[in-house]
Amino acid sequence: EYEARTGRMYKPPLSSARRKNIEFEPLSTTALILEDRPANLPAKSVEEALRHRQEYDEMVAEAKKREIKEAHKRKKIMRERFKQEENIASAMVIWVNEILPNWEGMRATRRVRELWWQGLPPSVRGKVWSLAVGNELNITPELYEIFLSRAKERWKSFSETSSENDTEDAGASVADREASLELIKLDISRTFPSLYIFQKGGPYHDLLHSVLGAYTCYRPDVGYVQGMSFIAAVLILNLEEADAFIAFANLLNKPCQLAFFRVDHSMMLKYFAAFEVFFEENLPKLFLHFKSYSLTPDIYLIDWIFTLYSKSLPLDLACRVWDVFCRDGEEFLFRTGLGILRLYEDILLQMDFIHIAQFLTKLPEDITSEKLFSCIAAIQMQNSNKKWAQVFASLMKDNKEGDKNHSPALKS
């Protein structure tokens, strides 16, 4: 502006008063603290200059302290990671050389159960999951290929029907059996979006599409339900295609998964009731807090159970939950839910209905396996000397007796 008005080049005065002992050109706050004022302003007093110097030294000391703290933190993380990798490597040798060759004889031993609790080595995870889940349905790779071919035919006919005839009758005829095939396409892109591998063009997109499509043809009575894509995706990451399908179909055939994916309200309510028995037993304060807001388990448990925690927890932690779920069955799903509530109990006690629901729908991303599994270990799955299976069986029995007492035959 000065140059524009006067037509003269502005030459700043030589900084003869500039501090000589500074090894770098001061920037922003440093300049404000250390630099002398411009000639047209009153000079700093000795006290002010000393105070500014002291403030600067404190800033530098604080920055160094933070840097040292961060360096220690990084070293600690690296040490823990190295230790973890060593543990995984040694565990892998035991699983490969000792446990897997003698699976039936060793799977239930205390030593194997303790090793299992610590998390399975990624290289054997898929194999152990397959063995633990089993194959009661006797599905073969050939059977998978048959249902995959059927799914491809359905997709083809569905797209032809949609393009040629968009009438309600055409839609209804497809809906009668495997209309959920089309819903799969929408959901695949929403599966682990941060990984990008399941999105269109990604290496596992078609694979996930195939497994889910084959399942909807294999079990048209269940069809495709939102949440299945996460379960199938986790299996695909750990198993070959046909093996992933076999594990997927058998996993979804378990009583708990079947109840949820078929939306069997009566059975779902039994699971929620059993969960609340152990909720009250382990976390009475939080249980009453939830009760005061009429916050029922379905608000947060449904999403957790539908995806086996793979959507709610970081993927590596979800796999660790799956490890023990494959060992202990459905009980561990509900024990994990109580572990999460225990981990965040103090925070949840300060929240109202809306904030609790939002918090449990999207859990913090910094949740660690050490903290969560420490809380899960503290959860006692026993009520009045009854274990989970006994409590659930008791609820089922009460329901059957209730049905008898309210049956029209008895009333008449």
Side-chain angles (χ1 to χ4, degrees):
E1 189 180 356
Y2 171 83
E3 290 169 7
R5 281 205 316 267
T6 62
R8 293 166 57 190
M9 286 288 290
Y10 171 69
K11 292 182 181 179
L14 292 170
S15 53
S16 56
R18 188 177 288 272
R19 301 176 71 92
K20 299 291 190 293
N21 61 339
I22 296 178
E23 296 175 2
F24 56 89
E25 187 67 23
L27 301 170
S28 60
T29 52
T30 307
L32 290 172
I33 292 171
L34 295 182
E35 290 304 286
D36 293 328
R37 292 199 181 105
N40 60 330
L41 293 176
K44 290 181 185 180
S45 65
V46 176
E47 292 80 6
E48 190 178 12
L50 284 171
R51 191 178 77 248
H52 284 180
R53 180 71 210 184
Q54 187 180 352
E55 287 171 358
Y56 173 72
D57 289 341
E58 285 172 2
M59 282 171 59
V60 171
E62 192 62 36
K64 282 182 180 176
K65 201 186 289 181
R66 278 199 305 272
E67 197 177 318
I68 291 166
K69 193 177 178 181
E70 284 297 317
H72 283 311
K73 191 178 176 181
R74 283 194 298 272
K75 278 184 182 177
K76 188 182 177 185
I77 290 169
M78 288 301 291
R79 276 200 305 270
E80 286 174 357
R81 191 175 293 171
F82 183 70
K83 187 180 176 184
Q84 190 179 16
E85 285 172 359
E86 277 190 326
N87 290 340
I88 289 170
S90 59
M92 186 188 70
V93 173
I94 296 169
W95 279 101
V96 171
N97 296 336
E98 297 178 38
I99 302 170
L100 290 175
N102 307 291
W103 174 251
E104 290 303 329
M106 292 190 70
R107 65 178 295 181
T109 61
R110 186 174 176 180
R111 181 194 175 206
V112 170
R113 287 181 66 80
E114 285 175 358
L115 195 64
W116 207 330
W117 174 269
Q118 292 163 20
L120 297 169
S123 57
V124 300
R125 180 167 268 152
K127 179 67 176 172
V128 176
W129 287 357
S130 289
L131 289 167
V133 171
N135 187 12
E136 289 180 5
L137 298 171
N138 294 316
I139 301 171
T140 60
E142 292 75 25
L143 192 65
Y144 166 62
E145 291 298 332
I146 290 167
F147 286 109
L148 178 56
S149 298
R150 190 177 297 178
K152 287 176 179 176
E153 286 170 17
R154 291 277 171 181
W155 280 318
K156 190 179 177 184
S157 64
F158 188 93
S159 59
E160 286 171 359
T161 305
S162 298
S163 58
E164 291 170 12
N165 187 357
D166 202 20
T167 63
E168 288 182 14
D169 291 338
S173 65
V174 178
D176 286 341
R177 277 184 64 81
E178 290 134 36
S180 52
L181 286 171
E182 194 62 17
L183 182 60
I184 294 170
K185 290 181 182 177
L186 298 172
D187 262 12
I188 288 176
S189 60
R190 302 172 190 156
T191 307
F192 298 122
S194 60
L195 294 181
Y196 300 109
I197 56 176
F198 295 106
Q199 277 62 55
K200 197 159 189 176
Y204 289 127
H205 174 273
D206 293 345
L207 196 57
L208 181 56
H209 200 201
S210 296
V211 169
L212 294 171
Y215 181 77
T216 57
C217 291
Y218 172 67
R219 290 298 299 265
D221 59 317
V222 180
Y224 175 76
V225 182
Q226 283 188 320
M228 284 183 179
S229 63
F230 281 87
I231 297 176
V234 173
L235 290 168
I236 285 167
L237 289 172
N238 290 278
L239 289 161
E240 294 298 320
E241 185 176 347
D243 293 329
F245 176 79
I246 293 167
F248 182 69
N250 280 278
L251 195 56
L252 266 54
N253 199 50
K254 303 293 181 186
C256 181
Q257 277 60 54
L258 210 52
F260 275 78
F261 282 115
R262 293 178 82 167
V263 195
D264 184 337
H265 290 289
S266 175
M267 284 292 285
M268 288 169 75
L269 288 171
K270 306 281 189 312
Y271 280 109
F272 294 146
F275 174 80
E276 289 206 292
V277 167
F278 294 96
F279 187 179
E280 186 176 15
E281 179 79 24
N282 284 276
L283 305 164
K285 208 170 170 183
L286 188 62
F287 177 80
L288 290 174
H289 183 64
F290 277 29
K291 280 283 183 190
S292 69
Y293 284 112
S294 300
L295 200 147
T296 50
D298 57 292
I299 291 168
Y300 50 93
L301 264 185
I302 285 178
D303 198 41
W304 293 352
I305 302 299
F306 263 118
T307 63
L308 301 179
Y309 295 96
S310 55
K311 185 182 175 186
S312 313
L313 297 173
L315 185 55
D316 59 336
L317 179 50
C319 285
R320 173 107 189 258
V321 169
W322 278 47
D323 292 343
V324 188
F325 161 59
C326 288
R327 188 194 78 172
D328 294 355
E330 65 186 38
E331 175 188 321
F332 191 72
L333 293 178
F334 298 94
R335 192 180 179 191
T336 299
L338 292 171
I340 291 170
L341 295 180
R342 182 185 174 92
L343 178 60
Y344 295 112
E345 182 177 16
D346 293 340
I347 297 169
L348 294 168
L349 284 169
Q350 308 302 317
M351 293 180 174
D352 58 16
F353 181 98
I354 296 294
H355 288 96
I356 291 170
Q358 288 175 339
F359 183 88
L360 295 178
T361 301
K362 186 167 173 53
L363 294 168
E365 292 179 4
D366 61 351
I367 184 169
T368 64
S369 60
E370 289 77 18
K371 286 179 182 176
L372 178 57
F373 270 76
S374 173
C375 288
I376 293 172
I379 297 295
Q380 297 299 314
M381 295 303 278
Q382 195 158 309
N383 175 264
S384 303
N385 294 323
K386 283 185 180 179
K387 294 184 177 179
W388 169 268
Q390 293 168 311
V391 169
F392 189 75
S394 177
L395 287 165
M396 291 290 288
K397 185 182 175 185
D398 291 345
N399 188 65
K400 283 177 184 175
E401 287 176 358
D403 289 344
K404 284 181 185 175
N405 294 334
H406 292 93
S407 67
L410 284 171
K411 282 182 179 178
S412 62

